[in-house]
Amino acid sequence: AQSVAQPEDQVNVAEGNPLTVKCTYSVSGNPYLFWYVQYPNRGLQFLLKYITGDNLVKGSYGFEAEFNKSQTSFHLKKPSALVSDSALYFCAVRDQTGANNLFFGTGTRLTVIP
Amino acid sequence: EPEVTQTPSHQVTQMGQEVILRCVPISNHLYFYWYRQILGQKVEFLVSFYNNEISEKSEIFDDQFSVERPDGSNFTLKIRSTKLEDSAMYFCASRIGSAYQETQYFGPGTRLLVL
């Protein structure tokens, strides 16, 4: 069965500093991994995905994520955090059977401190 | 840029009542999904829909739930007799095709409160 874990409920970072939001996954085959962001009272917005190819994936709003197969991780990163990055971040893995639904992690709340 | 839309944004209902949540997926997308997020918890898959039938459903999607695509644009989730524990944010999502690399795009959600 597929699953993802986000070990940190909350991450605080000062504006301008680099940020990392952690995600580890468990799949039986090739992992297809996604990051979504949820702003207050908004839906889930797609940030980036890893399907195959380069381990460093670049996405929206300056975010990137590094796929590490040996550590089964897919951490989200940004070199310089903005206050507007404050939101709830979800890592997800695609179901490898059936209808390709997503399995989500529990989410990490990122707060960027001015 | 095309986006998934959902109505209503908020719905309050009495326990035992029926509710219908509506979604308009992105127009050229073929795969549709419903997810829910109970307050403070993770997003959970409910059901997927393709070619006018359910393709997969989770354990949460019991007989109280049904989905329908009544016309060429709307995709609805019906809860026949709501329970307190159905209170959640419900997200609709759509995807263009069956390829494994395709991204699901989510709507803004409907917050359902069952009293």
Side-chain angles (χ1 to χ4, degrees), chain A residues 37-113:
Chain A
V37 59
Q38 184 180 29
Y39 296 100
N41 301 314
R42 301 282 297 277
L44 296 166
Q45 296 182 33
F46 169 72
L47 275 180
L48 50 80
K49 64 184 176 185
Y50 172 82
I51 302 298
T52 186
D54 290 340
N55 290 341
L56 186 64
V57 179
K58 294 189 183 297
S60 306
Y61 312 121
F63 283 93
E64 57 189 28
E66 186 170 9
F67 171 69
N68 187 316
K69 189 172 183 178
S70 63
Q71 297 184 4
T72 63
S73 67
F74 189 56
H75 300 334
L76 182 70
K77 300 181 179 184
K78 188 174 182 180
S80 178
L82 300 173
V83 173
S84 57
D85 293 329
S86 298
L88 191 56
Y89 290 81
F90 289 96
C91 182
V93 63
R94 185 184 72 79
D95 185 6
Q96 295 171 312
T97 61
N100 299 319
N101 52 284
L102 297 174
F103 291 95
F104 284 86
T106 50
T108 298
R109 184 164 301 281
L110 172 69
T111 300
V112 181
I113 303 164

Side-chain angles (χ1 to χ4, degrees), chain A residues 32 34 36 38 41-44 46 49 51 88 90 94-95 97-102 104-106, chain B residues 33 35 37 41-43 45 48 55-56 91 95 98-109:
Chain A
Y32 304 124
F34 300 78
Y36 286 84
Q38 184 180 29
N41 301 314
R42 301 282 297 277
L44 296 166
F46 169 72
K49 64 184 176 185
I51 302 298
L88 191 56
F90 289 96
R94 185 184 72 79
D95 185 6
T97 61
N100 299 319
N101 52 284
L102 297 174
F104 284 86
T106 50
Chain B
Y33 302 81
Y35 292 79
Q37 183 185 27
Q41 299 185 23
K42 65 181 176 182
V43 178
F45 166 73
S48 58
S55 46
E56 193 158 349
F91 293 108
R95 185 165 61 92
S98 61
Y100 59 86
Q101 67 267 31
E102 295 298 341
T103 300
Q104 287 184 35
Y105 293 92
F106 285 76

